[in-house]
mmCIF file of all heavy atoms in Angstrom:
data_model
loop_
_atom_site.group_PDB
_atom_site.id
_atom_site.type_symbol
_atom_site.label_atom_id
_atom_site.label_comp_id
_atom_site.label_asym_id
_atom_site.label_seq_id
_atom_site.Cartn_x
_atom_site.Cartn_y
_atom_site.Cartn_z
ATOM 1 N N ASN A 1 10.115 -3.582 17.747
ATOM 2 C CA ASN A 1 10.087 -3.344 16.292
ATOM 3 C C ASN A 1 8.956 -4.252 15.750
ATOM 4 O O ASN A 1 9.214 -5.176 14.980
ATOM 5 C CB ASN A 1 11.460 -3.692 15.717
ATOM 6 C CG ASN A 1 11.601 -3.207 14.260
ATOM 7 O OD1 ASN A 1 10.858 -2.319 13.861
ATOM 8 N ND2 ASN A 1 12.483 -3.811 13.539
ATOM 9 N N ASN A 2 7.761 -3.966 16.160
ATOM 10 C CA ASN A 2 6.578 -4.762 15.757
ATOM 11 C C ASN A 2 6.371 -4.666 14.265
ATOM 12 O O ASN A 2 6.484 -3.640 13.646
ATOM 13 C CB ASN A 2 5.317 -4.237 16.462
ATOM 14 C CG ASN A 2 5.362 -4.371 17.940
ATOM 15 O OD1 ASN A 2 5.402 -5.440 18.476
ATOM 16 N ND2 ASN A 2 5.397 -3.224 18.621
ATOM 17 N N LEU A 3 5.996 -5.871 13.696
ATOM 18 C CA LEU A 3 5.565 -5.910 12.294
ATOM 19 C C LEU A 3 4.201 -5.225 12.174
ATOM 20 O O LEU A 3 3.283 -5.551 12.904
ATOM 21 C CB LEU A 3 5.458 -7.351 11.766
ATOM 22 C CG LEU A 3 4.915 -7.445 10.357
ATOM 23 C CD1 LEU A 3 5.897 -6.817 9.329
ATOM 24 C CD2 LEU A 3 4.683 -8.963 10.051
ATOM 25 N N ILE A 4 4.110 -4.228 11.351
ATOM 26 C CA ILE A 4 2.861 -3.506 11.087
ATOM 27 C C ILE A 4 2.389 -3.885 9.696
ATOM 28 O O ILE A 4 3.118 -3.742 8.747
ATOM 29 C CB ILE A 4 3.076 -1.989 11.215
ATOM 30 C CG1 ILE A 4 3.490 -1.612 12.609
ATOM 31 C CG2 ILE A 4 1.774 -1.278 10.822
ATOM 32 C CD1 ILE A 4 3.832 -0.130 12.802
ATOM 33 N N SER A 5 1.148 -4.394 9.626
ATOM 34 C CA SER A 5 0.552 -4.737 8.320
ATOM 35 C C SER A 5 -0.301 -3.554 7.887
ATOM 36 O O SER A 5 -1.051 -2.966 8.656
ATOM 37 C CB SER A 5 -0.348 -5.977 8.493
ATOM 38 O OG SER A 5 0.388 -7.078 8.874
ATOM 39 N N ILE A 6 -0.136 -3.219 6.625
ATOM 40 C CA ILE A 6 -0.895 -2.103 6.023
ATOM 41 C C ILE A 6 -1.785 -2.657 4.954
ATOM 42 O O ILE A 6 -1.355 -3.382 4.072
ATOM 43 C CB ILE A 6 0.083 -1.092 5.390
ATOM 44 C CG1 ILE A 6 1.084 -0.617 6.418
ATOM 45 C CG2 ILE A 6 -0.649 0.049 4.731
ATOM 46 C CD1 ILE A 6 2.456 -0.289 5.874
ATOM 47 N N VAL A 7 -3.096 -2.318 5.057
ATOM 48 C CA VAL A 7 -4.105 -2.833 4.120
ATOM 49 C C VAL A 7 -4.598 -1.712 3.258
ATOM 50 O O VAL A 7 -5.094 -0.717 3.740
ATOM 51 C CB VAL A 7 -5.276 -3.529 4.886
ATOM 52 C CG1 VAL A 7 -6.357 -3.946 3.916
ATOM 53 C CG2 VAL A 7 -4.790 -4.711 5.715
ATOM 54 N N ILE A 8 -4.454 -1.899 1.936
ATOM 55 C CA ILE A 8 -4.975 -0.926 0.971
ATOM 56 C C ILE A 8 -5.997 -1.611 0.076
ATOM 57 O O ILE A 8 -5.646 -2.463 -0.750
ATOM 58 C CB ILE A 8 -3.850 -0.308 0.060
ATOM 59 C CG1 ILE A 8 -2.799 0.402 0.850
ATOM 60 C CG2 ILE A 8 -4.468 0.561 -1.007
ATOM 61 C CD1 ILE A 8 -1.657 0.938 0.002
ATOM 62 N N PRO A 9 -7.284 -1.260 0.213
ATOM 63 C CA PRO A 9 -8.272 -1.711 -0.782
ATOM 64 C C PRO A 9 -8.244 -0.758 -1.987
ATOM 65 O O PRO A 9 -7.968 0.424 -1.812
ATOM 66 C CB PRO A 9 -9.593 -1.597 -0.035
ATOM 67 C CG PRO A 9 -9.381 -0.561 0.986
ATOM 68 C CD PRO A 9 -7.902 -0.521 1.293
ATOM 69 N N THR A 10 -8.446 -1.291 -3.191
ATOM 70 C CA THR A 10 -8.381 -0.420 -4.344
ATOM 71 C C THR A 10 -9.272 -0.935 -5.461
ATOM 72 O O THR A 10 -9.595 -2.100 -5.530
ATOM 73 C CB THR A 10 -6.935 -0.271 -4.860
ATOM 74 O OG1 THR A 10 -6.859 0.811 -5.821
ATOM 75 C CG2 THR A 10 -6.387 -1.544 -5.459
ATOM 76 N N TYR A 11 -9.663 -0.002 -6.300
ATOM 77 C CA TYR A 11 -10.374 -0.298 -7.559
ATOM 78 C C TYR A 11 -10.187 0.872 -8.540
ATOM 79 O O TYR A 11 -10.581 2.021 -8.247
ATOM 80 C CB TYR A 11 -11.849 -0.515 -7.336
ATOM 81 C CG TYR A 11 -12.636 -0.781 -8.577
ATOM 82 C CD1 TYR A 11 -12.451 -1.987 -9.319
ATOM 83 C CD2 TYR A 11 -13.488 0.153 -9.120
ATOM 84 C CE1 TYR A 11 -13.104 -2.203 -10.489
ATOM 85 C CE2 TYR A 11 -14.149 -0.059 -10.287
ATOM 86 C CZ TYR A 11 -13.985 -1.225 -10.979
ATOM 87 O OH TYR A 11 -14.626 -1.493 -12.194
ATOM 88 N N ASN A 12 -9.486 0.555 -9.618
ATOM 89 C CA ASN A 12 -9.264 1.544 -10.691
ATOM 90 C C ASN A 12 -8.704 2.907 -10.228
ATOM 91 O O ASN A 12 -9.190 3.934 -10.620
ATOM 92 C CB ASN A 12 -10.520 1.746 -11.542
ATOM 93 C CG ASN A 12 -10.808 0.618 -12.482
ATOM 94 O OD1 ASN A 12 -9.931 -0.170 -12.801
ATOM 95 N ND2 ASN A 12 -12.037 0.467 -12.888
ATOM 96 N N ARG A 13 -7.714 2.836 -9.414
ATOM 97 C CA ARG A 13 -7.045 4.051 -8.929
ATOM 98 C C ARG A 13 -5.517 3.926 -9.125
ATOM 99 O O ARG A 13 -4.735 4.326 -8.266
ATOM 100 C CB ARG A 13 -7.364 4.277 -7.444
ATOM 101 C CG ARG A 13 -8.743 4.737 -7.236
ATOM 102 C CD ARG A 13 -8.882 5.247 -5.822
ATOM 103 N NE ARG A 13 -10.129 5.987 -5.675
ATOM 104 C CZ ARG A 13 -10.709 6.147 -4.479
ATOM 105 N NH1 ARG A 13 -10.161 5.653 -3.400
ATOM 106 N NH2 ARG A 13 -11.769 6.833 -4.412
ATOM 107 N N LYS A 14 -5.116 3.434 -10.267
ATOM 108 C CA LYS A 14 -3.738 3.127 -10.540
ATOM 109 C C LYS A 14 -2.813 4.330 -10.207
ATOM 110 O O LYS A 14 -1.782 4.193 -9.537
ATOM 111 C CB LYS A 14 -3.565 2.692 -11.975
ATOM 112 C CG LYS A 14 -2.133 2.401 -12.398
ATOM 113 C CD LYS A 14 -2.125 1.995 -13.883
ATOM 114 C CE LYS A 14 -0.713 2.100 -14.413
ATOM 115 N NZ LYS A 14 -0.668 1.920 -15.848
ATOM 116 N N LYS A 15 -3.105 5.538 -10.772
ATOM 117 C CA LYS A 15 -2.214 6.649 -10.543
ATOM 118 C C LYS A 15 -2.119 7.071 -9.060
ATOM 119 O O LYS A 15 -1.063 7.339 -8.543
ATOM 120 C CB LYS A 15 -2.688 7.838 -11.365
ATOM 121 C CG LYS A 15 -2.469 7.657 -12.833
ATOM 122 C CD LYS A 15 -2.898 8.827 -13.655
ATOM 123 C CE LYS A 15 -2.700 8.572 -15.139
ATOM 124 N NZ LYS A 15 -3.127 9.703 -15.967
ATOM 125 N N LYS A 16 -3.273 7.086 -8.413
ATOM 126 C CA LYS A 16 -3.254 7.423 -6.982
ATOM 127 C C LYS A 16 -2.687 6.321 -6.137
ATOM 128 O O LYS A 16 -2.019 6.598 -5.117
ATOM 129 C CB LYS A 16 -4.678 7.787 -6.500
ATOM 130 C CG LYS A 16 -5.154 9.080 -7.136
ATOM 131 C CD LYS A 16 -6.541 9.450 -6.742
ATOM 132 C CE LYS A 16 -6.934 10.783 -7.375
ATOM 133 N NZ LYS A 16 -8.249 11.221 -6.915
ATOM 134 N N LEU A 17 -2.871 5.064 -6.500
ATOM 135 C CA LEU A 17 -2.366 3.931 -5.794
ATOM 136 C C LEU A 17 -0.832 3.967 -5.797
ATOM 137 O O LEU A 17 -0.177 3.654 -4.778
ATOM 138 C CB LEU A 17 -2.875 2.627 -6.390
ATOM 139 C CG LEU A 17 -2.304 1.348 -5.763
ATOM 140 C CD1 LEU A 17 -2.668 1.250 -4.304
ATOM 141 C CD2 LEU A 17 -2.810 0.129 -6.525
ATOM 142 N N GLU A 18 -0.229 4.339 -6.900
ATOM 143 C CA GLU A 18 1.203 4.401 -6.982
ATOM 144 C C GLU A 18 1.777 5.353 -5.913
ATOM 145 O O GLU A 18 2.767 5.063 -5.222
ATOM 146 C CB GLU A 18 1.672 4.857 -8.363
ATOM 147 C CG GLU A 18 3.155 4.906 -8.519
ATOM 148 C CD GLU A 18 3.635 5.232 -9.923
ATOM 149 O OE1 GLU A 18 2.828 5.783 -10.712
ATOM 150 O OE2 GLU A 18 4.771 4.968 -10.241
ATOM 151 N N ARG A 19 1.145 6.485 -5.734
ATOM 152 C CA ARG A 19 1.576 7.467 -4.721
ATOM 153 C C ARG A 19 1.417 6.867 -3.286
ATOM 154 O O ARG A 19 2.281 7.039 -2.432
ATOM 155 C CB ARG A 19 0.789 8.761 -4.853
ATOM 156 C CG ARG A 19 1.187 9.849 -3.885
ATOM 157 C CD ARG A 19 0.398 11.100 -4.104
ATOM 158 N NE ARG A 19 -1.012 10.814 -3.914
ATOM 159 C CZ ARG A 19 -1.987 11.694 -4.093
ATOM 160 N NH1 ARG A 19 -1.724 12.886 -4.518
ATOM 161 N NH2 ARG A 19 -3.216 11.352 -3.842
ATOM 162 N N ALA A 20 0.288 6.141 -3.058
ATOM 163 C CA ALA A 20 0.091 5.505 -1.784
ATOM 164 C C ALA A 20 1.188 4.480 -1.512
ATOM 165 O O ALA A 20 1.750 4.446 -0.381
ATOM 166 C CB ALA A 20 -1.297 4.874 -1.728
ATOM 167 N N ILE A 21 1.502 3.636 -2.491
ATOM 168 C CA ILE A 21 2.530 2.602 -2.301
ATOM 169 C C ILE A 21 3.854 3.278 -2.047
ATOM 170 O O ILE A 21 4.643 2.848 -1.148
ATOM 171 C CB ILE A 21 2.592 1.708 -3.571
ATOM 172 C CG1 ILE A 21 1.325 0.872 -3.705
ATOM 173 C CG2 ILE A 21 3.816 0.791 -3.491
ATOM 174 C CD1 ILE A 21 1.198 0.167 -5.046
ATOM 175 N N LEU A 22 4.210 4.289 -2.777
ATOM 176 C CA LEU A 22 5.491 4.977 -2.605
ATOM 177 C C LEU A 22 5.577 5.546 -1.188
ATOM 178 O O LEU A 22 6.678 5.596 -0.573
ATOM 179 C CB LEU A 22 5.698 6.053 -3.647
ATOM 180 C CG LEU A 22 6.029 5.537 -5.071
ATOM 181 C CD1 LEU A 22 5.995 6.677 -6.064
ATOM 182 C CD2 LEU A 22 7.391 4.814 -5.111
ATOM 183 N N SER A 23 4.494 6.030 -0.662
ATOM 184 C CA SER A 23 4.518 6.628 0.699
ATOM 185 C C SER A 23 4.745 5.556 1.751
ATOM 186 O O SER A 23 5.336 5.834 2.799
ATOM 187 C CB SER A 23 3.246 7.379 0.957
ATOM 188 O OG SER A 23 2.150 6.542 1.307
ATOM 189 N N VAL A 24 4.373 4.288 1.449
ATOM 190 C CA VAL A 24 4.702 3.200 2.322
ATOM 191 C C VAL A 24 6.172 2.778 2.166
ATOM 192 O O VAL A 24 6.948 2.612 3.152
ATOM 193 C CB VAL A 24 3.789 1.981 2.130
ATOM 194 C CG1 VAL A 24 4.223 0.804 2.953
ATOM 195 C CG2 VAL A 24 2.339 2.382 2.435
ATOM 196 N N LEU A 25 6.628 2.631 0.952
ATOM 197 C CA LEU A 25 8.017 2.243 0.687
ATOM 198 C C LEU A 25 9.001 3.236 1.268
ATOM 199 O O LEU A 25 10.110 2.832 1.698
ATOM 200 C CB LEU A 25 8.239 2.126 -0.834
ATOM 201 C CG LEU A 25 7.574 0.981 -1.556
ATOM 202 C CD1 LEU A 25 7.714 1.158 -3.071
ATOM 203 C CD2 LEU A 25 8.145 -0.333 -1.081
ATOM 204 N N ASN A 26 8.625 4.484 1.395
ATOM 205 C CA ASN A 26 9.512 5.510 1.899
ATOM 206 C C ASN A 26 9.463 5.733 3.386
ATOM 207 O O ASN A 26 10.085 6.669 3.931
ATOM 208 C CB ASN A 26 9.260 6.812 1.172
ATOM 209 C CG ASN A 26 9.689 6.804 -0.282
ATOM 210 O OD1 ASN A 26 10.660 6.154 -0.602
ATOM 211 N ND2 ASN A 26 8.901 7.424 -1.133
ATOM 212 N N GLN A 27 8.736 4.887 4.121
ATOM 213 C CA GLN A 27 8.616 5.038 5.565
ATOM 214 C C GLN A 27 9.982 4.894 6.250
ATOM 215 O O GLN A 27 10.767 4.042 5.902
ATOM 216 C CB GLN A 27 7.640 3.998 6.106
ATOM 217 C CG GLN A 27 6.210 4.220 5.775
ATOM 218 C CD GLN A 27 5.700 5.547 6.400
ATOM 219 O OE1 GLN A 27 5.728 5.768 7.609
ATOM 220 N NE2 GLN A 27 5.190 6.450 5.523
ATOM 221 N N SER A 28 10.223 5.700 7.256
ATOM 222 C CA SER A 28 11.427 5.580 8.039
ATOM 223 C C SER A 28 11.374 4.374 8.922
ATOM 224 O O SER A 28 12.411 3.766 9.210
ATOM 225 C CB SER A 28 11.618 6.812 8.881
ATOM 226 O OG SER A 28 10.565 7.058 9.800
ATOM 227 N N TYR A 29 10.210 3.938 9.362
ATOM 228 C CA TYR A 29 10.025 2.666 10.088
ATOM 229 C C TYR A 29 9.929 1.565 9.049
ATOM 230 O O TYR A 29 9.107 1.625 8.145
ATOM 231 C CB TYR A 29 8.707 2.728 10.907
ATOM 232 C CG TYR A 29 8.498 1.528 11.807
ATOM 233 C CD1 TYR A 29 8.926 1.514 13.086
ATOM 234 C CD2 TYR A 29 7.728 0.490 11.332
ATOM 235 C CE1 TYR A 29 8.681 0.441 13.913
ATOM 236 C CE2 TYR A 29 7.446 -0.605 12.157
ATOM 237 C CZ TYR A 29 7.961 -0.641 13.421
ATOM 238 O OH TYR A 29 7.729 -1.694 14.238
ATOM 239 N N LYS A 30 10.783 0.568 9.137
ATOM 240 C CA LYS A 30 10.928 -0.388 8.026
ATOM 241 C C LYS A 30 10.281 -1.759 8.270
ATOM 242 O O LYS A 30 10.237 -2.564 7.324
ATOM 243 C CB LYS A 30 12.415 -0.613 7.774
ATOM 244 C CG LYS A 30 13.127 0.653 7.326
ATOM 245 C CD LYS A 30 12.572 1.171 5.990
ATOM 246 C CE LYS A 30 13.329 2.392 5.493
ATOM 247 N NZ LYS A 30 12.687 3.034 4.401
ATOM 248 N N ASN A 31 9.744 -2.050 9.458
ATOM 249 C CA ASN A 31 9.178 -3.410 9.713
ATOM 250 C C ASN A 31 7.701 -3.399 9.380
ATOM 251 O O ASN A 31 6.861 -3.310 10.295
ATOM 252 C CB ASN A 31 9.514 -3.867 11.151
ATOM 253 C CG ASN A 31 9.258 -5.370 11.301
ATOM 254 O OD1 ASN A 31 9.187 -6.087 10.325
ATOM 255 N ND2 ASN A 31 9.091 -5.764 12.513
ATOM 256 N N TRP A 32 7.346 -3.507 8.130
ATOM 257 C CA TRP A 32 6.012 -3.457 7.674
ATOM 258 C C TRP A 32 5.797 -4.459 6.525
ATOM 259 O O TRP A 32 6.780 -4.878 5.919
ATOM 260 C CB TRP A 32 5.587 -2.080 7.236
ATOM 261 C CG TRP A 32 6.471 -1.449 6.234
ATOM 262 C CD1 TRP A 32 7.468 -0.544 6.449
ATOM 263 C CD2 TRP A 32 6.515 -1.683 4.800
ATOM 264 N NE1 TRP A 32 8.114 -0.201 5.274
ATOM 265 C CE2 TRP A 32 7.561 -0.898 4.254
ATOM 266 C CE3 TRP A 32 5.760 -2.518 3.948
ATOM 267 C CZ2 TRP A 32 7.870 -0.875 2.870
ATOM 268 C CZ3 TRP A 32 6.089 -2.526 2.547
ATOM 269 C CH2 TRP A 32 7.140 -1.700 2.082
ATOM 270 N N GLU A 33 4.574 -4.806 6.321
ATOM 271 C CA GLU A 33 4.159 -5.481 5.118
ATOM 272 C C GLU A 33 2.976 -4.754 4.535
ATOM 273 O O GLU A 33 2.189 -4.238 5.215
ATOM 274 C CB GLU A 33 3.824 -6.989 5.389
ATOM 275 C CG GLU A 33 2.552 -7.105 6.219
ATOM 276 C CD GLU A 33 2.043 -8.542 6.371
ATOM 277 O OE1 GLU A 33 2.591 -9.473 5.662
ATOM 278 O OE2 GLU A 33 1.124 -8.760 7.182
ATOM 279 N N LEU A 34 2.882 -4.766 3.219
ATOM 280 C CA LEU A 34 1.778 -4.049 2.524
ATOM 281 C C LEU A 34 0.892 -5.072 1.822
ATOM 282 O O LEU A 34 1.400 -5.943 1.054
ATOM 283 C CB LEU A 34 2.348 -3.081 1.510
ATOM 284 C CG LEU A 34 1.392 -2.273 0.685
ATOM 285 C CD1 LEU A 34 0.382 -1.491 1.544
ATOM 286 C CD2 LEU A 34 2.122 -1.374 -0.255
ATOM 287 N N ILE A 35 -0.387 -5.009 2.106
ATOM 288 C CA ILE A 35 -1.381 -5.910 1.525
ATOM 289 C C ILE A 35 -2.314 -5.047 0.679
ATOM 290 O O ILE A 35 -3.059 -4.249 1.233
ATOM 291 C CB ILE A 35 -2.104 -6.701 2.623
ATOM 292 C CG1 ILE A 35 -1.124 -7.496 3.426
ATOM 293 C CG2 ILE A 35 -3.168 -7.579 1.998
ATOM 294 C CD1 ILE A 35 -1.576 -7.856 4.777
ATOM 295 N N ILE A 36 -2.307 -5.300 -0.612
ATOM 296 C CA ILE A 36 -3.153 -4.540 -1.522
ATOM 297 C C ILE A 36 -4.253 -5.535 -2.013
ATOM 298 O O ILE A 36 -3.947 -6.586 -2.471
ATOM 299 C CB ILE A 36 -2.383 -4.024 -2.721
ATOM 300 C CG1 ILE A 36 -1.277 -3.023 -2.240
ATOM 301 C CG2 ILE A 36 -3.290 -3.325 -3.738
ATOM 302 C CD1 ILE A 36 -0.287 -2.620 -3.296
ATOM 303 N N VAL A 37 -5.466 -5.107 -1.763
ATOM 304 C CA VAL A 37 -6.648 -5.933 -2.157
ATOM 305 C C VAL A 37 -7.402 -5.185 -3.253
ATOM 306 O O VAL A 37 -8.022 -4.183 -2.999
ATOM 307 C CB VAL A 37 -7.514 -6.221 -0.943
ATOM 308 C CG1 VAL A 37 -8.678 -7.158 -1.340
ATOM 309 C CG2 VAL A 37 -6.764 -6.793 0.214
ATOM 310 N N ASP A 38 -7.285 -5.751 -4.436
ATOM 311 C CA ASP A 38 -7.858 -5.121 -5.613
ATOM 312 C C ASP A 38 -9.162 -5.753 -5.985
ATOM 313 O O ASP A 38 -9.262 -6.991 -6.021
ATOM 314 C CB ASP A 38 -6.876 -5.283 -6.782
ATOM 315 C CG ASP A 38 -7.318 -4.667 -8.102
ATOM 316 O OD1 ASP A 38 -7.946 -3.607 -8.034
ATOM 317 O OD2 ASP A 38 -7.125 -5.290 -9.130
ATOM 318 N N ASN A 39 -10.144 -4.957 -6.335
ATOM 319 C CA ASN A 39 -11.468 -5.393 -6.709
ATOM 320 C C ASN A 39 -11.530 -5.551 -8.230
ATOM 321 O O ASN A 39 -12.409 -5.071 -8.931
ATOM 322 C CB ASN A 39 -12.529 -4.397 -6.241
ATOM 323 C CG ASN A 39 -13.953 -4.899 -6.420
ATOM 324 O OD1 ASN A 39 -14.208 -6.040 -6.450
ATOM 325 N ND2 ASN A 39 -14.906 -3.955 -6.565
ATOM 326 N N TYR A 40 -10.592 -6.284 -8.774
ATOM 327 C CA TYR A 40 -10.440 -6.590 -10.198
ATOM 328 C C TYR A 40 -10.477 -5.318 -11.093
ATOM 329 O O TYR A 40 -11.319 -5.185 -11.945
ATOM 330 C CB TYR A 40 -11.501 -7.628 -10.633
ATOM 331 C CG TYR A 40 -11.240 -8.964 -10.120
ATOM 332 C CD1 TYR A 40 -11.888 -9.467 -9.013
ATOM 333 C CD2 TYR A 40 -10.274 -9.827 -10.770
ATOM 334 C CE1 TYR A 40 -11.641 -10.750 -8.465
ATOM 335 C CE2 TYR A 40 -9.988 -11.042 -10.233
ATOM 336 C CZ TYR A 40 -10.714 -11.521 -9.077
ATOM 337 O OH TYR A 40 -10.433 -12.780 -8.581
ATOM 338 N N SER A 41 -9.523 -4.441 -10.782
ATOM 339 C CA SER A 41 -9.422 -3.203 -11.552
ATOM 340 C C SER A 41 -9.193 -3.516 -13.030
ATOM 341 O O SER A 41 -8.623 -4.531 -13.374
ATOM 342 C CB SER A 41 -8.259 -2.347 -11.058
ATOM 343 O OG SER A 41 -8.542 -1.904 -9.739
#
């Protein structure tokens, strides 16, 4: 059950980013961390 890190870079994509985040939150595999790197949106 390896920890999987997910990296999302973003800039001014709030609406699309929400869908991306929800797709991670809804994963059947639960051992993950999400790292969002924002370019000062």
Side-chain angles (χ1 to χ4, degrees):
N1 194 22
N2 297 295
L3 175 64
I4 297 174
S5 298
I6 303 147
V7 176
I8 299 179
T10 193
Y11 178 69
N12 284 340
R13 287 193 167 157
K14 180 181 163 189
K15 289 181 182 178
K16 292 180 179 184
L17 176 63
E18 182 175 19
R19 183 178 61 186
I21 294 169
L22 288 170
S23 78
V24 174
L25 289 171
N26 291 324
Q27 288 297 302
S28 60
Y29 184 91
K30 298 298 183 188
N31 195 18
W32 52 262
E33 68 172 350
L34 177 57
I35 300 156
I36 299 169
V37 183
D38 179 40
N39 189 26
Y40 290 99
S41 294

